[in-house]
Amino acid sequence: MSLDAAAATLASRLLEQEFVEVLAHHDADGIAAASILCHAMFRAGGRFRLRIRPDITPEEIPREGSVLLCDFGSALQDLPDDVMVVDHHQPRFEGELHVNPHLAGIDGDRNLSAAGAAYLVARKMGDNRDLAGLTLLGIIGDGQVIEGPNREITNEGIANGFITPGRGLLLVGRGLVEQIALSIDPYLPGLSGEPDAARTLVAAVTGEDEVDMETLLSRIVLKAAREASVTALCSLWGTTYSLGREVIDGAGDLTAVVDACGKAGKGDIGASLCLRSSHALQEAREITARYRQSVITGVREARRLDERVGLYEVDDENVASDVADVLAYDLVQDGPVFVIGRGSGRCSISARCPPGVDLDLDALMRTVARACGGHGGGHRQRAGARIPAGGLDRFRQELLEAILA
């Protein structure tokens, strides 16, 4: 089935429902995907309940009523056939109500996010073109590129006046000092987590209330270059996107806030922003600042567990994913990175391949996690797993055997 046909089928099913239970992954892509479809259902007269979660298992799926999963579910083979899934991870679910770019031969790792897939469904449900800007949360949040369907959706949003591209600094936050001191994407050694250094830097490049941006960028690069990767330094400046319909205008800024709220356990606040309510905007900003500081602390205090492979442990389960991003993409690495975060009775593992490293992490994490009594999967170069806390030693053993074989 083509992606367009799959989107039309799911759109028709959603329009038939009086009430839908919506469950979404807790990152920016998952929250944006669910919010796009909740907008569309509300406009069509439907009702819904939206819940944000770090993951989902078949046992946790409601057994009565209509259920929609956003940005997870594709990897689960034993879901009820009538569950609706909008996702972009490697698909194993064989239900008919399944919108996933991989099923249509499109690279869901790079060229279409869950939010993008949700937008294609929403466009079949009515005139929801104004939601195109929210797809950028999936593109930016999941590190995708604007090619293929992502480009088509973005261009449509630009043509209709809902997205305005520009060029500028890609750091996010409230003011330049916060943007630098709390930067985690990219992480800037010597500046991230150092507000005094950030203030000194900003003061040095500011004259008569105007920032010398060229000098600022040069000094950031000089400060961070010894430890930072080329990828990190090249992501300081680039194409920006303004979203005139959203409660936070900058797409990168909105992505960071929604993502932080979701991962900090406040996914309802992140979703409220995507649903265009500004009542909790100040709280969301504060959550974001605290979360980003927690990620910086996690990076600094990450403990390497083995010298043969990039296996690390952090104390805060909530930041494991973003710590893995920093270690793999922003600092110099020569192999895959695995970050373990301990939770209550379980461990979360985030796996990443830095640029130039090619390893099928989706298959690896599924296999290793299953051997430990857990579950895992994701994308080829970006995946994760959850296992019982008692299975951590087994996980480490299985991982080392697989990597070093």
Side-chain angles (χ1 to χ4, degrees):
M1 184 183 298
S2 70
L3 189 61
D4 185 71
T9 298
L10 185 55
S12 295
R13 178 62 65 94
L14 285 172
L15 289 172
E16 293 170 355
Q17 309 307 308
E18 294 183 1
F19 179 82
V20 178
E21 289 275 5
V22 184
L23 295 97
H25 188 226
H26 69 167
D27 67 2
D29 186 29
I31 294 173
S35 298
I36 288 169
L37 291 171
C38 288
H39 271 293
M41 285 187 284
F42 180 77
R43 292 171 178 180
R47 298 181 301 123
F48 59 86
R49 178 171 67 167
L50 171 58
R51 289 179 284 173
I52 312 299
R53 302 175 54 90
D55 66 351
I56 194 73
T57 64
E59 295 75 26
E60 295 167 324
I61 304 295
R63 295 299 169 178
E64 296 182 1
S66 298
V67 178
L68 170 65
L69 306 182
C70 294
D71 198 31
F72 48 27
S74 283
L76 302 176
Q77 293 177 293
D78 45 358
L79 291 175
D81 288 340
D82 59 351
V83 169
M84 296 172 279
V85 176
V86 176
D87 198 357
H88 68 131
H89 295 91
Q90 291 294 331
R92 288 170 186 85
F93 174 54
E94 297 181 353
E96 294 183 1
L97 302 170
H98 188 188
V99 178
N100 186 311
H102 288 287
L103 296 174
I106 297 168
D107 187 350
D109 292 359
R110 290 174 52 83
N111 295 338
L112 192 66
S113 66
Y119 177 77
L120 297 180
V121 176
R123 288 283 278 113
K124 300 291 186 180
M125 297 174 67
D127 185 1
N128 291 302
R129 291 173 294 173
D130 63 304
L131 303 176
L134 290 175
T135 67
L136 286 167
L137 276 67
I139 296 171
I140 296 170
D142 275 20
Q144 295 198 342
V145 295
I146 298 185
E147 296 176 357
N150 280 343
R151 181 178 296 279
E152 294 171 8
I153 295 170
T154 302
N155 285 347
E156 180 179 292
I158 293 170
N160 289 316
F162 302 122
I163 300 173
T164 303
R167 297 288 290 177
L169 190 68
L170 298 180
L171 303 182
V172 301
R174 299 166 294 182
L176 200 49
V177 171
E178 181 176 291
Q179 287 175 304
I180 296 170
L182 293 181
S183 182
I184 60 172
D185 186 18
Y187 181 84
L188 303 171
L191 293 169
S192 296
E194 302 289 348
D196 290 341
R199 289 189 196 96
T200 299
L201 175 57
V202 171
V205 299
T206 304
E208 297 183 359
D209 298 325
E210 184 173 322
V211 175
D212 182 342
M213 195 59 67
E214 185 173 332
T215 302
L216 172 68
L217 290 170
S218 297
R219 293 188 64 161
I220 290 175
V221 170
L222 288 171
K223 183 74 172 179
R226 181 172 296 180
E227 298 179 52
S229 68
V230 173
T231 301
L233 298 177
C234 288
S235 61
L236 291 167
W237 183 271
T239 302
T240 61
Y241 297 96
S242 176
L243 309 176
R245 292 293 184 97
E246 309 307 330
V247 297
I248 296 177
D249 185 68
D253 212 10
L254 180 58
T255 300
V257 173
V258 171
D259 195 68
C261 288
K263 292 173 181 174
K266 299 292 184 179
D268 56 332
I269 292 178
S272 75
L273 300 180
C274 292
L275 293 172
R276 296 178 176 164
S277 170
S278 60
H279 78 282
L281 180 55
Q282 183 60 34
E283 182 181 359
R285 288 287 195 182
E286 295 301 323
I287 290 169
T288 302
R290 291 194 298 270
Y291 177 77
R292 293 173 80 84
Q293 182 58 59
S294 295
V295 173
I296 292 168
T297 299
V299 171
R300 292 178 171 180
E301 297 180 357
R303 299 177 294 280
R304 186 156 187 168
L305 302 181
D306 198 288
E307 292 303 318
R308 295 165 293 176
V309 65
L311 181 62
Y312 299 83
E313 183 177 20
V314 295
D315 293 326
D316 185 351
E317 178 189 20
N318 294 328
V319 304
S321 175
D322 283 304
V323 170
D325 285 345
V326 169
L327 294 178
Y329 307 141
D330 297 337
L331 303 180
V332 179
Q333 300 281 351
D334 57 6
V337 169
F338 304 87
V339 176
I340 299 167
R342 292 181 182 268
S344 178
R346 68 180 185 186
C347 292
S348 298
I349 301 100
S350 294
R352 304 287 186 268
C353 280
V357 175
D358 186 19
L359 180 67
D360 189 349
L361 293 178
D362 170 59
L364 176 65
M365 296 303 278
R366 278 191 294 111
T367 301
V368 175
R370 189 183 304 119
C372 303
H375 61 277
H379 304 290
R380 180 176 177 83
Q381 296 194 305
R382 180 185 175 94
R386 289 184 185 270
I387 63 172
L392 186 55
D393 289 340
R394 176 72 181 276
F395 177 88
R396 180 175 176 178
Q397 177 185 347
E398 295 280 343
L399 181 66
L400 288 172
E401 290 178 359
I403 295 293
L404 301 177

